[in-house]
Amino acid sequence: MRHADWIIIGAGLAGSVLARALGGAAVVLDPAAGGYKIGESVIPEQFHHPLMAELLPAVRALPSWSPKLGTTFVDAGAPHCAPHEIASFPLAHHSDRSLHVMRAELESLIHRRFSTPIVQERVIDIDLAARCVTTDVGQWRSKGPIIDCSGPAMVVATALREVERLWPVWASWAYFDASPDDEAFWQRAQATPISFLDVPSGRLMKNVRRAHMPPSEATLLTRIDSGLWMWQIPLYRKKLLSVGVVSRQGPVSPEQHAEVMAAHGGACWRMTARTAELPPVTADTERFGCSLPPETRQLHSRAGFARYSRRAASADHILLGDAFSFADPVYSVGTGLAVSQALKLAGQLRSEPWTDGTAAAWDADAQAARLRGQAAFEYWYSGEVLRDGDIAQHVQEEFLVGRCFRSDLLDAYIVAIDGANRVASAAVHDEVARILAGTIAFERIEAIPSEASICIHIDSAALEVHLTDIARKSWREPSPGIGLSYRGDAPPAAAERLSALIGQAPERWRRMLDTVAAMQPSSEGKYS
């Protein structure tokens, strides 16, 4: 019999973070750590904590990294036609902590940086009363409760026969060599109602001509039919595209996956199927500069994965993340929830004994989070996320950012920071709106103000004045300032008018913004 202070089952994100945060004699049991997993869209909450935030530079250097500025929701129309509706949900202040990345690559990095104490053994039996785990090699006894971070395998809940089916759901996904075509997306959507969520005010701004977030730098979710939707997630610096079809109607066959892809998959991407017949190593090295996992050349499918456990904890066990419940992949919240729960649990286990009372409180919180998630998933399937401002704000803050997963202390800190940013943005917005209203040169403009930006339409040109961090993050600006962007070739008249706007900025405005950038073309074809 071997002994450990903590026995953690599963060396995924939750298990690795928990072991690092607990310290001491923790053992992480996993027979295949660092293997392929789905879950490539990361919400900001996953990197809020300083322990995780310090990893961000290394994560961005990973080959599979790709930027994520937010989520774009699409209500699809007929095949090959313009969509019914588009809603853009930018992450604004949180875009520096949001990204797309292959899970196996991310987990391998965390294993190295955290020195995760992985023991490659498979769990075959659990005796909770004795806090004993039997593996294919031998036995382990835990001083503390056994902690299950095994994800969809749900090792402990399965052993206890406490797994319940939530609802029928099937998925099929594959990978495509891709290159972005954002302009084609907006051309196709010329007659489509477009809205974007103004993050500081929480308003769903209606009838904009195009959102200021490139769809190729967002998680793209397309609602195709009742109970049928598609995800598109860019990877490897937008050279590879993960495309999945999720259905509540029945299994997604290879033929249906191909049919959905052909009808709705090329909105902002030029794609080529990755076939097994190509010489994978040579082809991938030439295109990506490295070899890609063999799973990127396969069609994957999964069924019956919407499940939950009747309880999330007892005096002798604790379930984290997907090991307790997984309902739907639509908002990409699974990894963010698991990491936040791991950090919260580590703090609790270090500070107080784990008792029947603390277990009951943990279970109540987990059950409440599960029910909140189920309601939010129904908003997506009903289409309300694209149309109802209150629901859009709720989904953005609670799930796409991940605020519902925060501990009280971290939440208080972040709310304070966000509040300060909101006050500053509102003050700048008022000043910009006043200048626009009194500028004769802009008589013909149509301006849609918000606390995050002012979308300006001059004749046929669409320009945006961004007042929040999202502009600096997406343009890689070296210093704070006001950003003015135009997608396409800016006509001389538009450039002159924007220069005039900058020239008329009062000294007070200049001091508020620190820097007012002159109109200069950037390497990305934008003016800032």
Side-chain angles (χ1 to χ4, degrees):
M1 179 74 70
R2 294 164 290 176
H3 297 266
D5 288 348
W6 312 102
I7 291 179
I8 301 169
I9 302 173
L13 293 174
S16 300
V17 172
L18 179 62
R20 173 68 173 79
L22 280 174
V27 167
V28 183
L29 303 176
D30 194 318
Y36 170 79
K37 295 176 185 174
I38 195 65
E40 300 138 340
S41 181
V42 177
I43 64 172
E45 188 64 25
Q46 185 165 316
F47 289 99
H48 262 311
H49 193 278
L51 181 67
M52 298 298 294
E54 67 181 14
L55 298 174
L56 279 169
V59 174
R60 295 192 193 101
L62 291 173
S64 67
W65 173 87
S66 199
K68 176 185 174 183
L69 300 183
T71 302
T72 297
F73 295 93
V74 178
D75 196 351
H80 309 291
C81 296
H84 289 310
E85 198 160 3
I86 295 172
S88 176
F89 286 43
L91 285 166
H93 302 299
H94 308 286
S95 61
D96 60 331
R97 298 188 300 271
S98 185
L99 49 95
H100 299 123
V101 69
M102 294 288 283
R103 277 282 298 281
E105 207 172 51
L106 176 60
E107 290 182 4
S108 295
L109 169 67
I110 290 176
H111 293 161
R112 295 193 303 271
R113 295 290 290 268
F114 287 175
S115 300
T116 306
I118 300 171
V119 176
Q120 291 188 313
E121 298 178 15
R122 183 180 304 279
V123 174
I124 58 177
D125 192 28
I126 298 171
D127 181 352
L128 280 188
R131 293 183 174 177
C132 181
V133 173
T134 301
T135 73
D136 52 358
V137 174
Q139 288 187 315
W140 289 89
R141 188 183 300 277
S142 179
K143 182 178 179 181
I146 296 169
I147 306 169
D148 189 2
C149 301
S150 63
M154 303 180 79
V155 170
V156 171
T158 300
L160 297 176
R161 293 185 172 88
E162 294 185 354
V163 178
E164 298 284 349
R165 186 182 184 189
L166 188 58
W167 47 51
V169 63
W170 296 263
S172 177
W173 66 94
Y175 298 86
F176 296 80
D177 291 337
S179 57
D181 192 348
D182 293 322
E183 190 58 33
F185 180 89
W186 297 119
Q187 288 291 334
R188 187 175 181 180
Q190 280 186 341
T192 300
I194 301 172
S195 58
F196 77 92
L197 184 68
D198 173 52
V199 176
S201 68
R203 297 193 302 269
L204 195 61
M205 309 295 289
K206 301 283 189 177
N207 300 318
V208 299
R209 298 201 183 176
R210 64 170 70 190
H212 58 254
M213 181 174 66
S216 65
E217 296 187 6
T219 297
L220 188 62
L221 304 177
T222 303
R223 182 176 176 269
I224 297 165
D225 199 354
S226 176
L228 185 68
W229 64 274
M230 175 180 68
W231 80 67
Q232 290 177 283
I233 298 173
L235 297 161
Y236 289 89
R237 287 156 177 77
K238 303 194 287 187
K239 294 180 180 179
L240 186 78
L241 193 66
S242 169
V243 182
V245 178
V246 180
S247 172
R248 290 189 181 182
Q249 303 170 351
V252 181
S253 66
E255 293 75 19
Q256 185 180 20
H257 186 276
E259 181 182 334
V260 170
M261 272 294 307
H264 305 283
C268 65
W269 296 95
R270 294 184 292 272
M271 295 180 293
T272 304
R274 291 174 59 78
T275 61
E277 288 73 25
L278 290 173
V281 175
T282 303
D284 288 347
T285 302
E286 291 176 355
R287 177 172 174 78
F288 302 99
C290 62
S291 60
L292 268 61
E295 290 84 1
T296 62
R297 292 186 176 275
Q298 301 169 11
L299 178 66
H300 305 264
S301 61
R302 187 173 294 172
F305 53 84
R307 305 183 299 165
Y308 71 97
S309 174
R310 289 196 293 272
R311 56 178 174 161
S314 73
D316 299 308
H317 83 289
I318 307 168
L319 310 183
L320 261 66
D322 294 352
F324 163 64
S325 171
F326 185 85
D328 200 288
V330 63
Y331 298 130
S332 306
V333 299
T335 57
L337 169 62
V339 168
S340 295
Q341 283 188 334
L343 292 166
K344 178 181 178 180
L345 178 62
Q348 192 166 345
L349 292 175
R350 289 197 311 265
S351 62
E352 60 182 306
W354 187 261
T355 65
D356 287 332
T358 52
W362 181 272
D363 180 64
D365 287 346
Q367 300 290 355
R370 175 177 66 84
L371 294 174
R372 285 200 303 271
Q374 289 173 208
F377 298 137
E378 293 306 314
Y379 294 148
W380 164 240
Y381 281 99
S382 68
E384 292 177 278
V385 172
L386 292 88
R387 303 180 186 97
D388 187 297
D390 291 338
I391 289 176
Q393 182 185 15
H394 171 75
V395 168
Q396 169 82 351
E397 293 182 353
E398 298 294 295
F399 296 95
L400 300 182
V401 173
R403 286 182 178 171
C404 67
F405 310 138
R406 294 178 185 167
S407 66
D408 294 339
L409 181 62
L410 184 60
D411 187 54
Y413 169 76
I414 295 168
V415 166
I417 296 300
D418 286 350
N421 285 335
R422 182 176 302 194
V423 170
S425 295
V428 174
H429 159 257
D430 291 342
E431 192 68 25
V432 173
R434 186 186 65 78
I435 291 171
L436 284 176
T439 304
I440 298 176
F442 284 87
E443 282 183 345
R444 290 189 294 164
I445 71 169
E446 171 195 357
I448 304 175
S450 77
E451 291 181 14
S453 65
I454 297 178
C455 185
I456 307 170
H457 302 301
I458 306 174
D459 301 332
S460 61
L463 304 110
E464 297 146 350
V465 180
H466 300 286
L467 307 178
T468 59
D469 286 346
I470 189 169
R472 294 202 296 274
K473 299 302 180 186
S474 60
W475 297 347
R476 312 291 192 271
E477 287 184 351
S479 60
I482 185 167
L484 303 126
S485 75
Y486 175 77
R487 307 194 187 286
D489 297 325
E496 290 173 5
R497 291 173 185 178
L498 287 173
S499 297
L501 172 62
I502 293 174
Q504 294 177 37
E507 186 62 28
R508 183 163 65 91
W509 183 25
R510 292 176 186 270
R511 287 198 304 271
M512 290 172 62
L513 297 171
D514 294 332
T515 302
V516 178
M519 285 288 294
Q520 295 293 333
S522 71
S523 60
E524 298 179 6
K526 304 170 184 175
Y527 282 72
S528 60

